[in-house]
């Protein structure tokens, strides 16, 4: 482990029980984390997290070679992966046989696999590619399901009926989803070096999306704490800031010493189908 990583594991976890467990993997722009969940006992057996990576995708590729927990024969594996090549297509315009035609709108040229992910609650389908550093590698996970990075955040958002801004933080970046009238209006990820830059992006989001601060709920998750610089910055504009928790019956004792919202989006990946 280095100073930017942490591994929390139930001392009673037996790697031989992996066939009864799910592996959840979240690869961010600058972070990498995973969780092991026993399907039978509904217990979170382990959580690994590494922040401030030069590349989350590259860090994942590296740990696949050295981390024995990633190589166990799990019942199911789910990957949530940041990519710059992603586009949302309204379901009434989506045609599964024309995936390649939509790739012309990607920000980067692609030569790999195309993936699709239905967001039926919000009425669209996401089409995306994965970073080359891990796309080929994931083919070894025969039972692996691949999701775009915001999939778990959107699964948490489904229970909210009001206009809501969702922010999911790593140490050096944050993901944004803005939901209005049960529609996903905006999604983006921003890297931030300091509080001034964070303040700039928050004002940019508020102004460009014409967010009504009195009518919009703010829900946050990830690596942020009440009273820190980013939290206090948000309070300059929003009257209330709520932390997102995973509405689940999972036993999370392994995380008892950590803030409950730190790994909400990671554990919510368990709800994605």
């Amino acid at each position: 482990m280095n100073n930017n990583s942490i591994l929390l594991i139930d001392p009673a976890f037996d790697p031989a029980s992996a066939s009864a467990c799910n592996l959840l993997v979240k690869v961010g722009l600058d972070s990498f984390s995973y969780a092991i969940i026993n399907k039978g006992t509904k217990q979170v057996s382990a959580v690994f997290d590494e922040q401030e990576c030069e590349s989350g995708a590259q860090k994942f590729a590296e740990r696949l070679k050295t981390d024995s927990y990633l190589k166990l024969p799990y019942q199911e594996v789910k990957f949530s992966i940041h990519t710059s090549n992603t586009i949302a297509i309204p379901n009434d315009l989506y045609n599964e046989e024309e995936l390649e035609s939509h790739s012309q709108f990607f920000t980067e040229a692609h030569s790999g696999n195309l993936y699709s992910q239905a967001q039926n609650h919000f009425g669209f389908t996401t089409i995306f590619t994965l970073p080359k550093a891990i796309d080929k590698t994931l083919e070894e996970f025969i039972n692996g399901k691949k999701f775009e990075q915001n999939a778990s955040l959107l699964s948490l958002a489904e229970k909210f009926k009001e206009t809501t801004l969702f922010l999911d933080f790593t140490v050096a970046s944050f993901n944004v989803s803005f939901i209005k009238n049960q529609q996903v209006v905006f999604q983006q990820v921003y890297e931030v070096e300091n509080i001034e830059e964070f303040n700039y992006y928050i004002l940019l989001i508020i102004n460009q999306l014409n967010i009504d601060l009195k009518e919009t709920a703010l829900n946050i998750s990830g690596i942020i704490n009440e009273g820190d610089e980013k939290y206090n910055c948000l309070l300059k504009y929003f009257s209330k800031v709520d932390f997102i928790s995973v509405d689940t019956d999972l036993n999370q004792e392994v995380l008892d010493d950590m803030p409950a919202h730190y790994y909400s989006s990671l554990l919510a990946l368990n709800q994605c189908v």
Side-chain angles (χ1 to χ4, degrees):
M1 300 296 158
N2 60 44
N3 292 333
N4 296 329
S5 68
I6 185 172
L7 174 63
L8 304 170
I9 190 162
D10 180 357
F13 173 65
D14 181 2
S17 68
S19 61
C21 299
N22 280 3
L23 174 67
L24 311 177
V25 179
K26 183 181 178 185
V27 181
L29 175 67
D30 56 358
S31 63
F32 162 63
S33 58
Y34 69 76
I36 300 170
I37 297 178
N38 187 298
K39 293 279 287 183
T41 63
K42 296 183 179 180
Q43 182 171 7
V44 180
S45 299
V47 168
F48 171 83
D49 180 41
E50 183 159 350
Q51 296 288 316
E52 298 183 275
C53 307
E54 184 174 338
S55 164
Q58 187 61 45
K59 180 57 63 177
F60 171 52
E62 292 172 1
R63 287 204 66 87
L64 272 176
K65 301 174 183 178
T66 61
D67 192 329
S68 60
Y69 289 119
L70 291 173
K71 300 178 181 180
L72 297 174
Y74 294 100
Q75 183 179 131
E76 188 174 44
V77 184
K78 296 181 179 181
F79 300 97
S80 171
I81 301 172
H82 168 77
T83 172
S84 57
N85 279 349
T86 177
I87 184 171
I89 307 296
N91 282 344
D92 56 355
L93 299 178
Y94 173 71
N95 187 333
E96 186 175 1
E97 298 179 355
E98 298 180 357
L99 289 186
E100 189 64 43
S101 66
H102 297 300
S103 67
Q104 63 182 302
F105 301 108
F106 288 159
T107 58
E108 299 177 1
H110 87 93
S111 57
N113 299 312
L114 276 174
Y115 302 97
S116 64
Q117 170 200 331
Q119 290 288 351
N120 291 327
H121 180 86
F122 295 110
F124 68 89
T125 296
T126 300
I127 298 172
F128 60 99
T129 62
L130 299 180
K132 292 181 180 180
I134 57 177
D135 194 11
K136 192 70 175 178
T137 305
L138 293 189
E139 292 179 1
E140 67 184 74
F141 292 91
I142 300 174
N143 62 340
K145 295 183 179 179
K146 305 170 185 68
F147 300 90
E148 197 268 341
Q149 184 176 343
N150 273 3
S152 57
L153 194 61
L154 291 181
S155 74
L156 291 170
E158 289 184 9
K159 67 180 181 181
F160 293 86
K161 305 303 180 184
E162 69 271 28
T163 299
T164 307
L165 180 67
F166 296 91
L167 305 179
D168 186 37
F169 291 85
T170 68
V171 168
S173 69
F174 66 104
N175 277 277
V176 181
S177 290
F178 181 52
I179 314 295
K180 186 174 183 179
N181 298 325
Q182 288 292 289
Q183 298 292 317
V184 179
V185 177
F186 180 77
Q187 296 188 89
Q188 187 58 273
V189 57
Y190 297 99
E191 292 184 88
V192 291
E193 293 187 359
N194 50 54
I195 193 62
E196 290 77 18
E197 194 170 36
F198 177 68
N199 185 76
Y200 167 79
Y201 283 127
I202 293 301
L203 283 175
L204 181 68
I205 291 166
I206 291 171
N207 292 329
Q208 286 198 338
L209 300 178
N210 294 316
I211 292 178
D212 185 334
L213 297 176
K214 295 181 179 180
E215 300 296 329
T216 301
L218 176 61
N219 283 268
I220 62 176
S221 59
I223 313 302
I224 184 171
N225 296 292
E226 186 172 356
D228 68 16
E229 283 187 324
K230 293 174 184 175
Y231 184 91
N232 289 338
C233 179
L234 293 171
L235 284 180
K236 292 194 301 184
Y237 309 108
F238 296 87
S239 59
K240 184 181 179 184
V241 180
D242 291 317
F243 290 104
I244 306 173
S245 60
V246 179
D247 185 14
T248 177
D249 56 357
L250 289 177
N251 180 336
Q252 301 180 45
E253 289 183 9
V254 72
L255 294 172
D256 278 353
D257 293 332
M258 305 295 288
H261 62 275
Y262 268 23
Y263 302 111
S264 294
S265 59
L266 172 63
L267 297 179
L269 186 57
N270 198 48
Q271 303 169 187
C272 295
V273 296

